[in-house]
Amino acid sequence: MAVPARRVSHARRDKRRSSVWKMEGPSLQKCPQCGEYKESHKLCNNCGYYNGRKVIEVED
């Protein structure tokens, strides 16, 4: 079984791991109907529209 020839330094190890644990927020887009921010490819919770069509009735 292969064994590492030299130990990896803390700095080198941490540089490699740095971007792994960062989460990004959802990408938000403005709804073309009401202008409220919503996730892309999702139904707008404010007006009930998706892709230019009314999908659900939303109570005001």
Side-chain angles (χ1 to χ4, degrees):
M1 192 160 119
V3 178
R6 284 177 214 71
R7 185 174 173 178
V8 176
S9 70
H10 300 296
R12 206 174 215 6
R13 178 199 65 200
D14 293 345
K15 271 192 255 180
R16 185 179 65 242
R17 294 180 181 173
S18 66
S19 65
V20 174
W21 306 109
K22 293 178 185 166
M23 284 184 68
E24 292 182 7
S27 59
L28 298 177
Q29 316 235 316
K30 278 194 172 185
C31 174
Q33 298 293 327
C34 64
E36 195 74 22
Y37 282 101
K38 68 177 191 75
E39 289 185 57
S40 57
H41 305 288
K42 298 275 176 96
L43 171 74
C44 179
N45 291 327
N46 191 44
C47 63
Y49 274 78
Y50 178 74
N51 202 18
R53 292 182 299 185
K54 186 116 177 147
V55 179
I56 61 170
E57 276 302 318
V58 179
E59 294 179 13
D60 290 332

